[in-house]
């Protein structure tokens, strides 16, 4: 449902379907019959937010409880925001059409740093006081979870509670506590203090941070009995973990418009740049039987005829081929097609190809991440050139002609030679096409090289590393271009694109920022900054002005090499991996040494303490 | 195999589902309802559905229709509305299912129930608005800019106003019958926009398609 007041405005904005709800599968309840109203906010537009798996899981989980009504809220696109501000219409939730200010909980998912500015904007549009300290009484509890909660320091002034790790249990525990506190007439402060006792809950207002003269952190001190270290929550039995058997099926096309089944959580690889690979340890798989049952129910209930089997590295699922065969036993007769994203170069086989073969042959995408073997070893990508060429050959023989390769530039230890090797690797893929006898005849191959800029992230072995300056990154981008020309590669067969380094810079600042960035966030919000993830809205210039107004040097966070004994802003948060392990991995990177994956050899990252998953698999 | 036509209403939030998205919503509803319908057999196989007359974004309708082929000749058509409604969003309700009588190409006109009001309240009274609209429609010619494949073109739409009837009540409401179909289709907004321009007031129009007719004014069935 949507507020009556917007009816007249809907045809003045693009895609009005974003703002009206009314989808099949939405949860409609009587607000007088529930104890807790939870507004699940995704700080981006409908089409992006509705594609996100986490919101689907938690939405259904919350709404299964009769006393909770969880609704969805998305960021209005700038055209709608303009209308809302002009007509004084507060941000509403899609199910009831009620303004955000009617809710007990306002929950945000933190998927990427560049969405932070939208959080402030959404709070303001919803009529919620921006600063935690300005919110009183036991209502408007602003909570947040998701990957960026691993270093939430830059937004601690705005959020009351962060959830660390898997949300399936901890979120409900906090909601239950709230319900009890409300019944007992407890104060907001009392509720927050009690919440901080729950494992996986971080109440930032209960911690004081002091700084050294050089700007680094001196100490983080808990107050009122809050724990000194906050541990993430982990769902250890994925088969028994809650998974929805139905989704809200959007009426308008969204980015990932299909059913999604999570096949496992975590990743065995430990690529040193990849935050997800460390945050979600240990690897926990679902059984083939469970995957098939859940997927079948989802397809039946939503009507989707396409399923994406989601994980961080699909081909690392131990039973990947048996799983695909089992799924196809019902999927084929029911005309449901399977897709397996995040395939590794070395996990691509004929068997898999046969099971996921769809009629439409689009291109294949792989991520070697670095051009040279030396650098791939240093970042622990563990992909070898001959594997890539073999895989491409299999793909070409299977009729594919388009290959997309993803790389990062600005990786630690990278030299200009490593950068030039990106173009060389692309050329070798083209050569492989022409040396494949059974290649598609009469078709030209096409290789796309895509280079993004490396952003050092917390809880990775590169968390101490400086990001390349924007000048260096631009130089490297141009160097690839030059290498393509030097190699005399036809531009009709090779496309090269690179991501804007400006956004990567801002991402680097906020990814490893501390509490002093809260002031910058607020200043940026006052300047009207939002939708930083959208190139049509992002302006680094505006951001730099905000930094300057607050007297903060962004390079301190992005481009400074941190010492191994420095207290990092996120050191009081525990995601299982120890700082000592990350340090060891970083030293190995300096020696260009790869590490074995979790199934080959345990490296003692610290996650065995969760007593399950890959750490205890039979080998 | 039977050629089947379902008739449905589209309103509320579902007014804002575009034609392309309506196609997707219907395909998923059919998938979920497990109706066994004919699928294309070409390169990219998919369930085959067609729509007689697309509906503009933002319009409600009481008379939309969609065609498909039921593979099982013994299928109970009277059960189909309920089966599909269980799989559709609230704003789309199938109310009838029958074998198709007419061809979509037979469609000649459509009737719209329109309610207009000023975008900014109190800018003009409803009675005055009704008056002006009546005057507008009695002009000898109504030239509007119509987008065609060859660019913008000035067209006199006056001859296309097949029927027009003001409705009693407090609001400025009327029924308007205009040519519809694949050869000549006049969108009521064409007239309303031209009217808004002539009176210099930004208008909001609530439009519902209430009837689709073939030659001779018979209901499309």
């Amino acid at each position: 449902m949507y507020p009556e007041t917007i009816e007249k405005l809907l045809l003045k904005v693009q895609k009005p379907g974003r703002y009206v709800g009314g989808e099949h599968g939405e949860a409609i309840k009587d607000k007088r019959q529930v104890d807790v109203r939870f507004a699940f906010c995704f700080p981006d537009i409908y089409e992006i937010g509705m594609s996100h798996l986490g919101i689907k899981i938690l939405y259904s989980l919350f709404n299964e409880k009769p006393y909770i009504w969880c609704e969805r809220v998305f960021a209005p696109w700038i055209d709608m925001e303009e209308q809302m501000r002009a007509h004084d219409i507060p941000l509403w939730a899609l199910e009831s059409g009620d303004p955000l200010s009617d809710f007990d909980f306002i929950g945000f998912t933190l998927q990427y740093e560049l969405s932070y500015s939208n959080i402030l904007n959404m709070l303001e549009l919803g009529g919620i006081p921006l600063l935690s300290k300005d919110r009183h009484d036991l209502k408007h509890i602003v909570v947040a979870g998701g990957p960026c909660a691993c270093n939430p320091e830059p937004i601690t002034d705005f959020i009351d509670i962060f959830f660390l790790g898997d949300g399936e249990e901890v979120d409900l525990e906090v909601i239950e506590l709230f319900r009890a506190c409300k019944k007992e007439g407890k104060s907001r402060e009392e509720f927050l203090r009690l919440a901080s006792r729950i494992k996986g809950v971080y109440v930032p207002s209960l911690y004081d941070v002091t700084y050294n003269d050089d700007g680094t952190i001196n100490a983080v001190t808990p107050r009122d009995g809050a724990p000194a270290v906050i541990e993430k929550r982990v769902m250890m039995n994925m088969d028994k973990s809650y998974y929805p058997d139905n989704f809200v099926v959007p009426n308008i096309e969204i980015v990932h418009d299909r059913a999604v089944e999570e096949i496992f959580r975590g990743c065995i690889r430990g690529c040193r740049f990849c935050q997800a690979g460390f945050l979600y340890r240990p690897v926990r798989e679902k059984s083939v039987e469970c995957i098939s049952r859940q997927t079948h129910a989802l397809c039946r209930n939503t009507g989707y005829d396409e399923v994406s089997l989601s994980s961080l590295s699909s081909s690392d699922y131990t039973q990947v081929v048996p799983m695909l065969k089992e799924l196809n036993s019902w999927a084929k007769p029911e005309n449901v097609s399977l897709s397996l994203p995040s395939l590794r170069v070395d996990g691509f086989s004929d068997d898999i190809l046969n099971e996921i073969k769809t009629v439409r042959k689009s291109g294949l995408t792989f991520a070697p991440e670095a051009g040279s073997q030396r650098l791939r070893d240093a970042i622990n990508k563990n992909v070898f050139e001959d594997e890539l060429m073999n895989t491409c050959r299999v793909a070409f023989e299977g009729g594919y002609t388009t290959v997309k390769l993803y790389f990062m530039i600005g990786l630690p230890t990278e030299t200009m030679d490593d950068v030039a090797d990106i173009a060389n690797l692309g050329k070798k893929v083209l050569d492989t096409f022409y040396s494949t006898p059974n290649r598609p005849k009469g078709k030209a191959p096409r290789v796309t090289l895509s280079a993004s800029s490396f952003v050092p992230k917390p809880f990775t072995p590169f968390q101490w590393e400086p990001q390349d300056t924007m000048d260096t990154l631009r130089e490297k981008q141009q160097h690839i271009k030059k290498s393509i020309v030097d190699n005399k590669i036809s531009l009709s067969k090779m496309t090269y694109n690179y991501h804007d380094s400006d956004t990567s810079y801002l991402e680097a600042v906020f990814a490893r920022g501390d509490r002093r960035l809260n002031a910058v966030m607020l200043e940026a919000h006052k300047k009207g900054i939002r939708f930083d993830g959208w190139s049509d809205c992002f302006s680094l210039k505006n951001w730099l002005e905000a930094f300057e107004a607050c007297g903060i040097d962004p390079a301190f966070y992005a481009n400074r090499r941190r010492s191994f004994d420095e207290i990092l802003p996120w050191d009081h948060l525990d995601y299982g991996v120890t700082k000592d392990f990350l340090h060891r991995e970083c030293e190995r990177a300096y020696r260009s040494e790869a590490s074995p994956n979790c199934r080959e050899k345990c490296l003692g990252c610290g996650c065995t303490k969760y007593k399950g998953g890959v750490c205890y698999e039979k080998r | 195999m039977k050629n089947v036509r379902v008739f449905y209403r589209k309103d509320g939030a579902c007014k804002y589902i575009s034609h392309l998205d309506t196609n997707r919503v219907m395909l998923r509803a059919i998938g979920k309802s497990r109706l066994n319908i004919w699928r294309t057999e070409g390169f990219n196989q998919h369930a085959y559905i067609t729509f007689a007359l697309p509906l503009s974004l933002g319009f409600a309708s009481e008379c939309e229709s969609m065609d498909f082929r039921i593979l099982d000749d013994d299928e109970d058509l009277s059960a189909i509305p309920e089966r599909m409604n269980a799989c559709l969003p609230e704003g789309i309700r199938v109310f009838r299912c029958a074998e198709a009588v007419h061809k979509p190409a037979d469609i000649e006109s459509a009737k719209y129930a329109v309610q207009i009001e000023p975008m900014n309240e109190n800018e003009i009274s409803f009675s005055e608005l009704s008056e002006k609209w009546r005057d507008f429609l009695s002009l000898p010619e109504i030239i509007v800019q119509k987008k065609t494949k060859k660019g913008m073109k000035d067209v006199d739409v006056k001859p296309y106003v097949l029927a027009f009837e003001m409705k009693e009540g407090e609001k400025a409401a009327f029924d308007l019958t205009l040519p519809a179909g694949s050869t000549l289709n006049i969108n009521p907004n064409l007239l309303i926009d031209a009217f808004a321009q002539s009176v210099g007031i930004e208008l909001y129009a609530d439009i519902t398609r209430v009837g689709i007719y073939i030659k001779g004014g018979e209901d499309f069935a």
Side-chain angles (χ1 to χ4, degrees):
Chain A
M1 222 167 77
Y2 48 94
E4 227 172 274
T5 43
I6 69 157
E7 185 83 68
K8 283 176 164 183
L9 310 175
L10 283 167
L11 287 174
K12 295 173 123 186
V13 300
Q14 284 175 39
K15 303 199 181 161
R18 288 167 175 167
Y19 308 109
V20 296
E23 306 94 330
H24 193 265
E26 68 172 351
I28 300 293
K29 296 188 180 184
D30 180 348
K31 61 184 170 194
R32 290 162 304 183
Q33 303 289 319
V34 297
D35 297 339
V36 182
R37 295 190 69 185
F38 193 110
F40 202 122
C41 304
F42 195 99
D44 210 317
I45 59 166
Y46 181 88
E47 291 94 316
I48 311 277
M50 283 293 288
S51 302
H52 179 243
L53 179 61
I55 184 170
K56 295 174 202 274
I57 297 177
L58 295 174
Y59 179 84
S60 299
L61 174 75
F62 293 174
N63 280 317
E64 282 212 345
K65 302 279 174 206
Y67 61 87
I68 307 173
W69 187 9
C70 175
E71 305 185 38
R72 295 160 298 146
V73 184
F74 300 98
W77 183 241
I78 47 177
D79 57 353
M80 182 50 111
E81 180 186 337
E82 197 186 310
Q83 297 291 339
M84 288 163 63
R85 289 189 188 275
H87 295 89
D88 231 354
I89 297 169
L91 183 62
W92 64 93
L94 292 182
E95 279 74 3
S96 63
D98 290 338
L100 266 193
S101 50
D102 282 6
F103 287 78
D104 299 308
F105 281 93
I106 293 111
F108 287 93
T109 174
L110 309 174
Q111 295 299 310
Y112 35 91
E113 293 80 0
L114 297 181
S115 66
Y116 289 173
S117 54
N118 277 9
I119 294 178
L120 272 65
N121 202 37
M122 286 171 79
L123 285 175
E124 188 194 71
L125 285 170
I128 307 288
L130 288 184
L131 295 168
S132 188
K133 68 174 171 59
D134 295 337
R135 295 190 287 263
H136 309 288
D137 306 328
L138 196 55
K139 60 173 187 182
H140 300 166
I141 309 292
V142 180
V143 299
C148 293
C150 76
N151 179 28
E153 297 303 288
I155 50 171
T156 46
D157 285 357
F158 314 102
I159 311 278
D160 301 311
I161 292 178
F162 291 99
F163 298 123
L164 310 192
D166 298 340
E168 284 97 333
E169 288 173 348
V170 63
D171 293 15
L172 281 181
E173 289 165 19
V174 170
I175 294 173
E176 297 258 10
L177 175 71
F178 175 87
R179 191 183 178 213
C181 287
K182 207 167 139 184
K183 271 189 190 140
E184 293 160 23
K186 287 206 163 82
S187 69
R188 183 185 187 92
E189 291 67 32
E190 178 76 347
F191 162 70
L192 290 175
R193 208 173 54 76
L194 289 170
S196 75
R197 308 294 194 274
I198 298 174
K199 192 176 163 189
V201 172
Y202 174 40
V203 179
S205 56
L206 298 181
Y207 297 78
D208 293 318
V209 183
T210 52
Y211 300 91
N212 298 314
D213 290 342
D214 64 0
T216 57
I217 290 171
N218 174 263
V220 176
T221 321
R223 271 188 289 110
D224 292 342
V229 173
I230 304 100
E231 264 190 88
K232 77 162 174 181
R233 292 290 286 266
V234 229
M235 301 302 294
M236 289 310 294
N237 187 333
M238 290 303 288
D239 276 11
K240 289 193 178 139
S241 265
Y242 179 82
Y243 202 75
D245 60 4
N246 200 1
F247 290 169
V248 179
V249 184
N251 289 333
I252 64 167
E253 193 177 22
I254 58 169
V255 180
H256 297 293
D257 209 358
R258 55 188 78 93
V260 187
E261 170 70 9
E262 186 183 19
I263 58 175
F264 64 91
R265 223 168 258 186
C267 181
I268 56 169
R269 298 287 164 172
C271 300
R272 290 173 185 138
F273 54 85
C274 175
Q275 190 183 39
F278 295 97
L279 287 186
Y280 298 114
R281 283 181 178 221
V283 166
R284 292 143 287 156
E285 294 192 343
K286 278 185 193 168
S287 67
V288 169
E289 186 273 325
C290 176
I291 291 167
S292 179
R293 176 169 38 83
Q294 292 180 346
T295 311
H296 204 172
L298 261 183
C299 288
R300 284 284 176 102
N301 290 333
T302 57
Y304 275 121
D305 60 2
E306 195 186 342
V307 193
S308 178
L309 301 162
S310 166
S311 71
L312 290 171
S313 175
S314 315
S315 44
D316 284 333
Y317 182 61
T318 47
Q319 306 291 317
V320 63
V321 174
M323 169 190 70
L324 292 171
K325 289 203 159 126
E326 169 61 29
L327 287 168
N328 268 330
S329 70
W330 56 264
K332 271 210 174 118
E334 294 182 23
N335 300 305
V336 170
S337 67
L338 311 174
S339 68
L340 203 57
S342 314
L343 271 181
R344 275 175 63 88
V345 168
D346 53 356
F348 188 85
S349 70
D350 256 348
D351 278 350
I352 292 179
L353 199 59
N354 282 334
E355 296 296 327
I356 60 168
K357 199 174 263 177
T358 52
V359 268
R360 254 175 303 185
K361 264 188 194 139
S362 56
L364 281 176
T365 304
F366 295 109
E369 310 291 2
S372 71
Q373 193 57 51
R374 205 256 340 135
L375 189 53
R376 281 196 296 276
D377 288 343
I379 62 173
N380 202 30
K381 183 67 193 181
N382 278 318
V383 158
F384 299 95
E385 195 173 301
D386 54 337
E387 284 171 341
L388 176 65
M389 297 311 150
N390 276 335
T391 294
C392 288
R393 191 169 293 118
V394 171
F396 293 145
E397 281 169 349
Y400 288 91
T401 53
T402 308
V403 176
K404 246 189 206 170
L405 301 175
Y406 282 177
F407 298 93
M408 264 186 281
I409 52 171
L411 289 162
T413 77
E414 184 178 63
T415 65
M416 278 303 184
D417 286 346
D418 294 319
V419 173
D421 274 345
I422 291 175
N424 296 336
L425 197 66
K427 184 171 190 297
K428 284 176 196 160
V429 172
L430 279 175
D431 293 344
T432 302
F433 179 83
Y434 287 110
S435 69
T436 304
N438 305 327
R439 66 178 182 267
K441 292 287 165 1
K443 279 190 188 164
R446 188 159 191 91
V447 174
T448 302
L449 306 178
S450 196
S452 60
S453 303
F454 170 66
V455 179
K457 295 273 169 121
F459 294 103
T460 68
F462 293 153
Q463 63 180 356
W464 296 276
E465 291 296 307
Q467 185 184 44
D468 270 354
T469 61
M470 282 186 283
D471 283 342
T472 310
L473 288 171
R474 285 192 201 108
E475 203 182 310
K476 286 178 175 174
Q477 286 165 349
Q478 293 313 310
H479 193 63
I480 299 179
K481 219 179 222 173
K482 184 174 167 291
S483 310
I484 294 173
V485 176
D486 290 351
N487 264 314
K488 296 194 174 60
I489 301 167
S490 155
L491 290 175
S492 68
K493 289 173 190 148
M494 188 174 292
T495 317
Y496 164 57
N497 43 51
Y498 49 87
H499 289 252
D500 182 23
S501 55
D502 289 6
T503 48
S504 306
Y505 180 58
L506 190 70
E507 194 182 327
V509 174
F510 280 99
R512 294 184 300 164
D514 57 34
R515 291 195 174 187
R516 287 169 297 189
L517 293 182
N518 279 288
V520 185
M521 281 303 310
L522 195 59
E523 178 66 22
H525 171 72
K526 285 183 189 149
K527 291 170 73 76
I529 288 177
R530 73 269 194 260
F531 280 112
D532 291 311
W534 293 76
S535 55
D536 29 0
C537 294
F538 180 76
S539 157
L540 185 62
K541 189 179 146 278
N542 288 349
W543 269 105
L544 293 178
E545 284 168 14
F547 280 106
E548 187 153 359
C550 299
I552 284 177
D553 177 16
F556 175 80
Y557 300 100
N559 308 120
R560 178 175 62 94
R561 179 175 295 284
R562 304 181 190 209
S563 90
F564 287 117
D565 50 23
E566 180 177 328
I567 295 177
L568 302 170
W570 52 92
D571 273 357
H572 54 302
L573 309 183
D574 176 1
Y575 273 75
V577 287
T578 62
K579 210 171 172 181
D580 182 48
F581 161 71
L582 296 173
H583 184 181
R584 287 198 314 267
E585 278 294 292
C586 186
E587 297 284 359
R588 288 178 84 136
Y590 292 158
R591 301 193 299 267
S592 304
E593 254 178 56
S595 289
N597 71 47
C598 291
R599 288 208 171 89
E600 289 165 345
K601 185 176 182 287
C602 177
L603 295 171
C605 72
C607 290
T608 46
K609 72 174 177 186
Y610 298 116
K611 304 268 176 261
V614 68
C615 315
Y616 293 81
E617 265 173 20
K618 283 201 184 90
R619 271 187 283 273
Chain B
M1 194 152 64
K2 271 194 270 197
N3 282 323
V4 164
R5 182 163 293 157
V6 291
F7 293 87
Y8 61 93
R9 288 188 191 88
K10 188 167 179 268
D11 56 23
C14 290
K15 280 195 294 195
Y16 301 102
I17 308 177
S18 68
H19 181 60
L20 221 64
D21 286 331
T22 303
N23 190 59
R24 264 188 280 271
V25 167
M26 285 296 183
L27 281 175
R28 280 195 299 258
I30 287 171
K32 177 169 158 61
S33 71
R34 319 224 33 86
L35 275 172
N36 198 9
I37 78 164
W38 183 76
R39 299 170 63 83
T40 61
E41 287 158 0
F43 190 67
N44 176 25
Q45 303 186 357
H46 59 94
Y48 187 74
I49 56 175
T50 55
F51 294 83
L53 191 64
L55 186 70
S56 296
L57 186 78
F59 285 25
S61 175
E62 293 171 2
C63 54
E64 291 309 285
S65 71
M66 172 179 75
D67 298 355
F68 49 82
R69 297 172 201 162
I70 284 280
L71 290 174
D72 181 0
D73 282 336
D74 298 328
E75 185 83 52
D76 176 13
L77 299 191
S78 68
I80 288 181
E82 207 177 315
R83 273 177 78 177
M84 287 196 65
N85 285 338
C87 309
L88 281 164
E90 276 293 315
I92 296 179
R93 293 292 94 181
V94 177
F95 58 85
R96 195 160 78 85
C97 174
E99 287 192 55
V101 180
H102 305 117
K103 292 194 198 74
D106 296 340
I107 294 173
E108 278 209 347
S109 63
K111 183 154 110 182
Y112 303 91
V114 184
Q115 235 182 55
I116 49 176
E117 55 184 288
M119 193 60 91
N120 305 309
E121 261 176 82
N122 305 326
E123 204 170 342
I124 184 171
S125 73
F126 282 120
S127 58
E128 199 183 339
L129 194 60
S130 297
E131 190 103 346
K132 288 200 178 216
W133 172 254
R134 213 187 305 257
D135 293 347
F136 178 73
L137 279 196
S138 47
L139 291 170
E141 56 172 20
I142 303 170
I143 305 294
V144 302
Q145 288 232 307
K146 192 175 190 304
K147 204 164 38 179
T148 66
K149 280 173 189 157
K150 288 177 192 146
M152 296 305 277
K153 213 172 104 182
D154 281 343
V155 185
D156 177 15
V157 287
K158 172 81 187 204
Y160 298 136
V161 180
L162 305 175
F164 162 68
E165 193 188 338
M166 287 307 287
K167 282 197 227 163
E168 293 302 315
E170 284 176 14
K171 298 213 161 169
F174 50 87
D175 284 346
L176 195 59
T177 307
L178 297 168
S182 48
T183 41
L184 177 68
N185 195 73
I186 302 290
N187 186 320
N189 272 328
L190 213 54
L191 276 147
I192 295 161
D193 290 348
F195 170 65
Q197 216 171 3
S198 80
V199 293
I201 293 171
E202 199 186 354
L203 291 178
Y204 167 72
D206 176 78
I207 304 171
T208 306
R209 184 148 73 193
V210 291
I212 297 176
Y213 312 105
I214 62 159
K215 207 173 185 170
E218 192 189 333
D219 276 329
F220 175 71

